[in-house]
Amino acid sequence: ATGINAPGNWSSISNASTACVVKVLGVSVSTDTYNFGEVDLSASSVTASGITVKNTGNVYQDYSMRVSSVTLFDGSPSVWKATDTAVGYNLFILYGIFHGEKPESNYFVNQDTVTAVDQTSDSERYSYDGSQTGASVPKQEERTLWLKLDMPTAVLTSKQEKIKVTVTAGKSP
């Protein structure tokens, strides 16, 4: 065969390939449970070990955190509520920061509170000194999350509580 369709007579455009790139968001957390143990009313406790949060997606990600539920340890309803202002009757404050090593209790400040509303990490929120943040986390990189719990001043029940925290991955701009 001769002419325009003959073998070896392809245009350079025919040698191009196309690909569809799918952006994947993903996050893994090293543990699904952390037990603070018994903490006295009006006292505070910082996690003894860090929780590893890993970007399992294929894009840079920003992490958001929220308290998604509070129940008694057996799953029945609780009257405890997360707040970002002050502890009180059945009111607790939960903080979270990303940091390479265990932070001192005073490293946790108001901008680090984890409430029932998603808050996205940036260079200051959920970060002590910016050395680790939950913002623009490269793919496959890990961050170490530390939590601090400020207990209520008084409570309706002394039963063990279960505070569920949700970490969500969002695409960085």
Side-chain angles (χ1 to χ4, degrees), residues 5-129:
N5 292 322
N9 197 16
W10 295 94
S11 70
S12 59
I13 192 85
S14 299
N15 293 329
S17 64
T18 59
C20 178
V21 177
V22 177
K23 294 177 181 168
V24 177
L25 296 175
V27 62
S28 70
V29 180
S30 63
T31 183
D32 62 353
T33 304
Y34 182 86
N35 190 336
F36 278 98
E38 285 190 31
V39 182
D40 293 336
L41 293 176
S42 300
S44 294
S45 181
V46 176
T47 50
S49 58
I51 299 165
T52 302
V53 180
K54 183 176 181 179
N55 176 350
T56 60
N58 66 1
V59 294
Y60 281 74
Q61 296 179 160
D62 293 335
Y63 297 139
S64 298
M65 285 190 281
R66 68 183 163 89
V67 172
S68 49
S69 69
V70 182
T71 61
L72 294 178
F73 201 75
D74 65 7
S76 59
S78 173
V79 294
W80 282 28
K81 300 281 184 238
T83 181
D84 61 355
T85 52
V87 294
Y89 182 69
N90 291 326
L91 295 175
F92 67 91
I93 299 177
L94 184 69
Y95 304 85
I97 59 175
F98 294 103
H99 197 61
E101 52 194 49
K102 184 176 180 177
E104 298 296 325
S105 184
N106 65 333
Y107 288 11
F108 297 85
V109 295
N110 186 260
Q111 67 198 13
D112 303 322
T113 57
V114 182
T115 64
V117 177
D118 263 327
Q119 297 287 339
T120 303
S121 182
D122 57 29
S123 61
E124 295 178 10
R125 180 178 298 279
Y126 304 136
S127 176
Y128 164 62
D129 60 3

